[in-house]
Amino acid sequence: MHFKSLRFASCCGLAVTSLLLFAADKPKSKTAPATPAVVDPYAEVQPATETLDLAMYQRIRDEGLNHSHVMEFASALADGIGPRLTGSPNLAKANAWTRDTLTKIGLQNAHLEDWGEFGLGWQQLNTWARMVEPDTAVLILQATPWSPSTPGPVTGDVALVDIQTEKDFDQYKGKLAGKVVLLGAMRAVPPVDKPLFERNTAQTLDDMAEFQVSESVGGQAMTPEMQARMRTRMERLRLIDRIAQFLADEKVVAVIEPSRDGSNGGGSGGTFFDDNGATLGRTPYLADKAVKVPVAVAAIEGYGRLYRLVQAHVPVQVQIDVETKVTGEHEHGFDTVAEIPGTDPNLKDQVVMLGGHLDSWIAGTGATDNGAGTIVAMEAVRILEALGVKPRRTIRIALWTGEEQGLFGSRGYVRDHFGSAKLSTAPDQAQLPEFMRRASGPLEVKPEQKLISAYFNVDNGSGKIRGIYTQGNGAVVPIFEQWMAPLKDLDVTTITERNTGGTDHLSFDAVGIPGFQFIQDDLDYETRTHHSNQDVYERLSPADLKQIATVEAIFVYNAAMRDQMMPRKPLPQPDLDQKRNAPIEGIFPGAVAPAAEAPK
């Protein structure tokens, strides 16, 4: 629900007051006020020249760069609340804090929207482990999300288990009871010979601006090599559930997994990554799929020492204590939503949205992924509210949850407000997570879909904005070029028509709403902080966050004030995509149609 705010005029002077009261007492006209015509955003003619309020650019820059509160938001969220796993008590705290803080800074209609049942509520209370034989050594590790607890500290002999195919199970049967299992072979740990902290160069931005025409034919987006990697990954995912049950049946006391690597060798030096890639199960947050053995992920150096000793047939013992808590089996997910109401009688029902995802993983405090996107969206609306901006369109901030498990929050919001398409139930698609399955349509669009001008998203860490992805929307390029011209001194220069995936703007794009993700400097996001124990306040760049919030506020303001809605791509037709991409029949001279297979 979106409540309209009432505005009251105050007058100074008795005569004026009397006139107003007299007018109020006059019989009201029986003619109803004209209802603004619903604009067809697919048919609006866009102007060649944007009308830019450069004085407002300057005011936003001054407020955002010289009077920022973004790092206050950062510490309150990352330090005061901490990691925000979907379904957890900490995420509930974050939902309440963002709602209340948005109200405190002046936004209206701040509320939580339920996107549906998620599954297990869970939190890590304490996890530690140490080698006790043949030497003593403290291990750097944490529980994987939704791991059960050990019954207090437990000690066990260490056994190596490496299962890649079904036939590998036999060699471990009857040999693992009471053991602490190292799950998987030791990976390479390359020297860190490339920077772990990088900014985009002029060359990388120029390369990004070039549109890459796919070599695929017939709508197949992946190369054969990518398809092979995906098949391997899906086979591994299907095997994971079997491995988890096998280890439970064998009565192992705990499992330790090695951390994956980061870009440029960043997954070393005590950094470890703790996300679904380390979880022993595809959907461990569902009660009927809950992991039955305690699982922890370890920094690669500690794992390597244990692995090498076991490989050398040295008896190794580890003591481990995994203390976790399930706080509910049927927890719901909520998005935080708030608004700056529009003021133009003809445009106020139209909406410009911005946001990022509020949930995180557990190893750090979720500062860069995606605390950064949350706090810059909050700071952007704070800037506009502090300046007393009266936008023509309503500005709506939305902070999503469940993004890490499959864009659940934004997809649920879009489904409830704007539309959706049924997902394919083909056998190959049914095996995929929902967010990876193709739509089989048709797309069912709700009336609100035509009222959303654009959605702007930040979800690539703490690095400053260098430009924007148009998501294949060529009509916005000349618009963004004009918006960005006064921002070149802030290094905002690049527009690319490429698509970028993996985050919440995709939910809007899927139903024909312009959804945009900004190009950001990488910093150490992919090397060290993305889903890792280094995703903490210290990895945030204050100057960059000020710049992001300022630029985002300007983009949102421009979209809210222009006469037209943002231009749109054609409405998606997922039900027709397969037909449009199918090979053209009968184009090969002399081709003979294959005989139909006999029914089996």
Side-chain angles (χ1 to χ4, degrees):
M1 295 182 295
H2 309 293
F3 302 106
K4 302 284 190 299
S5 60
L6 299 176
R7 293 174 174 77
F8 298 94
S10 60
C11 302
C12 44
L14 182 60
V16 176
T17 304
S18 299
L19 285 171
L20 287 173
L21 291 172
F22 172 76
D25 288 336
K26 288 175 65 177
K28 291 184 170 57
S29 169
K30 294 183 180 180
T31 305
T35 302
V38 177
V39 174
D40 182 359
Y42 293 96
E44 277 197 291
V45 177
Q46 301 290 330
T49 303
E50 291 290 292
T51 301
L52 301 182
D53 185 346
L54 295 181
M56 183 55 72
Y57 267 67
Q58 182 56 44
R59 293 182 66 204
I60 291 173
R61 286 172 62 126
D62 178 61
E63 181 67 29
L65 301 178
N66 299 323
H67 307 285
S68 176
H69 292 267
V70 72
M71 296 310 291
E72 292 176 40
F73 293 149
S75 185
L77 181 63
D79 299 331
I81 295 175
R84 303 169 300 280
L85 189 69
T86 301
S88 70
N90 270 16
L91 187 55
K93 290 180 185 178
N95 273 132
W97 174 79
T98 50
R99 178 198 60 205
D100 297 345
T101 302
L102 290 168
T103 300
K104 188 175 296 184
I105 63 177
L107 271 70
Q108 298 188 26
N109 190 25
H111 64 283
L112 306 183
E113 291 204 19
D114 187 336
W115 49 257
E117 184 174 319
F118 170 69
L120 296 177
W122 181 92
Q123 60 185 142
Q124 176 174 231
L125 302 177
N126 185 27
T127 299
W128 58 266
R130 64 192 186 109
M131 181 169 68
V132 292
E133 289 291 342
D135 189 16
T136 58
V138 175
L139 302 175
I140 301 173
L141 84 176
Q142 285 192 27
T144 62
W146 300 288
S147 166
S149 295
T150 57
V154 292
T155 302
D157 294 334
V158 173
L160 173 63
V161 172
D162 189 12
I163 298 175
Q164 300 297 324
T165 66
E166 288 283 347
K167 64 181 181 181
D168 292 333
F169 285 99
D170 292 341
Q171 63 182 302
Y172 301 110
K173 283 182 179 178
K175 300 177 181 178
L176 300 178
K179 299 291 179 64
V180 174
V181 165
L182 304 183
L183 188 61
M186 177 63 182
R187 65 166 173 84
V189 184
V192 180
D193 59 356
K194 296 177 182 177
L196 297 182
F197 186 100
E198 294 181 291
R199 293 194 181 272
N200 287 306
T201 65
Q203 184 61 56
T204 58
L205 291 170
D206 286 345
D207 292 344
M208 197 178 298
E210 289 188 12
F211 186 79
Q212 291 181 319
V213 179
S214 173
E215 296 180 1
S216 64
V217 178
Q220 176 54 258
M222 293 192 294
T223 65
E225 292 77 12
M226 291 173 64
Q227 292 178 53
R229 286 199 299 271
M230 179 58 73
R231 283 194 297 270
T232 300
R233 174 173 169 76
M234 292 313 301
E235 286 298 324
R236 177 64 180 169
L237 286 175
R238 280 190 287 272
L239 200 59
I240 279 178
D241 292 334
R242 284 268 292 111
I243 294 172
Q245 186 61 55
F246 174 76
L247 295 175
D249 293 343
E250 291 293 308
K251 297 181 172 50
V252 305
V253 297
V255 173
I256 299 175
E257 293 205 14
S259 172
R260 64 171 172 84
D261 203 359
S263 299
N264 296 354
S268 60
T271 297
F272 62 86
F273 300 89
D274 194 358
D275 53 21
N276 264 2
T279 300
L280 196 59
R282 288 184 289 173
T283 52
Y285 48 83
L286 300 179
D288 62 345
K289 300 288 186 181
V291 179
K292 299 178 177 64
V293 294
V295 189
V297 60
I300 195 62
E301 294 86 353
Y303 189 89
R305 184 179 183 188
L306 299 177
Y307 178 89
R308 289 185 294 273
L309 288 168
V310 172
Q311 286 288 78
H313 306 291
V314 175
V316 181
Q317 283 192 336
V318 161
Q319 185 179 45
I320 184 169
D321 185 12
V322 177
E323 187 181 356
T324 64
K325 181 179 181 182
V326 172
T327 57
E329 292 193 352
H330 303 283
E331 298 298 312
H332 279 232
F334 297 87
D335 300 321
T336 305
V337 183
E339 295 176 337
I340 302 175
T343 58
D344 186 311
N346 294 315
L347 300 180
K348 64 183 181 180
D349 290 334
Q350 297 177 10
V351 179
V352 175
M353 294 188 67
L354 71 159
H357 71 87
L358 183 58
D359 61 303
S360 76
W361 291 106
I362 66 162
T365 58
T368 70
D369 185 26
N370 186 31
T374 292
I375 61 176
V376 296
M378 295 175 69
E379 173 68 0
V381 294
R382 186 206 65 80
I383 290 168
L384 297 176
E385 185 65 28
L387 296 176
V389 166
K390 304 297 181 187
R392 299 177 70 191
R393 292 179 179 83
T394 293
I395 294 171
R396 183 181 300 160
I397 181 175
L399 304 174
W400 316 112
T401 62
E403 190 271 353
E404 295 291 4
Q405 289 73 47
L407 313 182
F408 290 158
S410 59
R411 288 174 66 234
Y413 185 89
V414 167
R415 176 198 64 222
D416 293 343
H417 289 269
F418 309 135
S420 60
K422 293 181 179 178
L423 298 179
S424 172
T425 56
D428 65 318
Q429 293 293 302
Q431 298 172 2
L432 298 173
E434 276 196 8
F435 72 96
M436 295 178 65
R437 287 163 62 186
R438 66 171 177 263
S440 59
L443 180 63
E444 297 178 1
V445 175
K446 297 186 176 184
E448 281 186 74
Q449 190 261 11
K450 285 191 174 183
L451 297 177
I452 305 299
S453 180
Y455 170 72
F456 297 97
N457 195 74
V458 172
D459 185 16
N460 280 321
S462 180
K464 66 183 175 181
I465 288 173
R466 305 300 301 275
I468 195 165
Y469 296 92
T470 72
Q471 208 70 22
N473 187 343
V476 303
V477 172
I479 297 169
F480 287 160
E481 285 176 340
Q482 294 174 70
W483 291 9
M484 287 165 51
L487 302 174
K488 288 184 178 178
D489 64 321
L490 293 179
D491 289 335
V492 186
T493 59
T494 303
I495 299 172
T496 178
E497 291 203 52
R498 297 184 188 187
N499 299 333
T500 184
T503 192
D504 293 293
H505 69 291
L506 297 179
S507 299
F508 291 80
D509 187 69
V511 296
I513 295 172
F516 305 107
Q517 172 87 346
F518 290 100
I519 300 168
Q520 295 176 253
D521 276 339
D522 295 334
L523 306 188
D524 52 359
Y525 185 64
E526 293 292 348
T527 58
R528 284 201 297 181
T529 73
H530 185 231
H531 301 179
S532 85
N533 60 329
Q534 292 300 310
D535 188 4
V536 291
Y537 179 92
E538 286 74 14
R539 299 278 79 80
L540 295 171
S541 171
D544 286 33
L545 293 171
K546 290 180 185 180
Q547 187 260 19
I548 299 171
T550 300
V551 172
E552 189 169 30
I554 287 171
F555 268 71
V556 168
Y557 176 82
N558 286 344
M561 298 302 289
R562 67 194 308 267
D563 291 335
Q564 297 78 19
M565 295 179 74
M566 300 300 291
R568 297 187 171 195
K569 299 183 293 187
L571 188 69
Q573 297 178 300
D575 52 325
L576 300 181
D577 283 348
Q578 282 188 286
K579 184 180 295 185
R580 293 164 68 188
N581 293 330
I584 300 172
E585 294 185 8
I587 65 169
F588 281 87
V592 178
E597 285 189 20
K600 295 180 181 179

